């Protein structure tokens, strides 16, 4: 399963979600900076961090370890 976190520099909520993702996934996830793509920035600007598992959005703003573990099955 592939975990992706959409984020941007300076996002305090992003740091919290990244801590959760690292505890569950180690280094096995992708981090995408939305500021590198205008389409991503338009889509996610007011919702980051957004976490997706296998292309399905799992959470906006907050994520718990239990929520991520359940999604990873």
């Amino acid at each position: 399963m592939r975990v992706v976190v959409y984020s941007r520099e300076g996002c305090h909520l992003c740091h919290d979600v990244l801590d959760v993702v690292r505890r569950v996934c180690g280094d096995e996830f992708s981090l995408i900076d939305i500021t590198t793509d205008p389409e991503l920035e338009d889509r996610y600007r007011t919702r980051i961090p957004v976490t997706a598992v296998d292309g399905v959005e799992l959470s906006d703003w907050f994520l718990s370890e239990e929520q991520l573990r359940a999604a990873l099955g």
Side-chain angles (χ1 to χ4, degrees):
M1 291 196 168
R2 185 176 143 117
V3 176
V4 177
V5 178
Y6 296 92
S7 179
R8 71 170 167 77
E9 190 66 34
C11 168
H12 69 282
L13 293 176
C14 298
H15 294 290
D16 296 341
V17 166
L18 286 171
D19 286 344
V20 169
V21 172
R22 285 187 180 108
R23 282 194 301 271
V24 174
C25 300
D27 291 330
E28 298 297 316
F29 70 96
S30 297
L31 177 61
I32 298 179
D33 182 347
I34 65 166
T35 64
T36 63
D37 181 327
E39 184 177 316
L40 290 176
E41 191 162 18
D42 285 344
R43 180 188 292 171
Y44 295 120
R45 179 181 320 134
T46 61
R47 299 173 47 211
I48 60 169
V50 174
T51 306
V53 176
D54 290 336
V56 177
E57 291 181 13
L58 175 64
S59 70
D60 297 359
W61 304 306
F62 303 101
L63 177 69
S64 70
E65 283 188 42
E66 294 79 17
Q67 186 181 14
L68 181 56
R69 288 182 195 284
L72 292 172

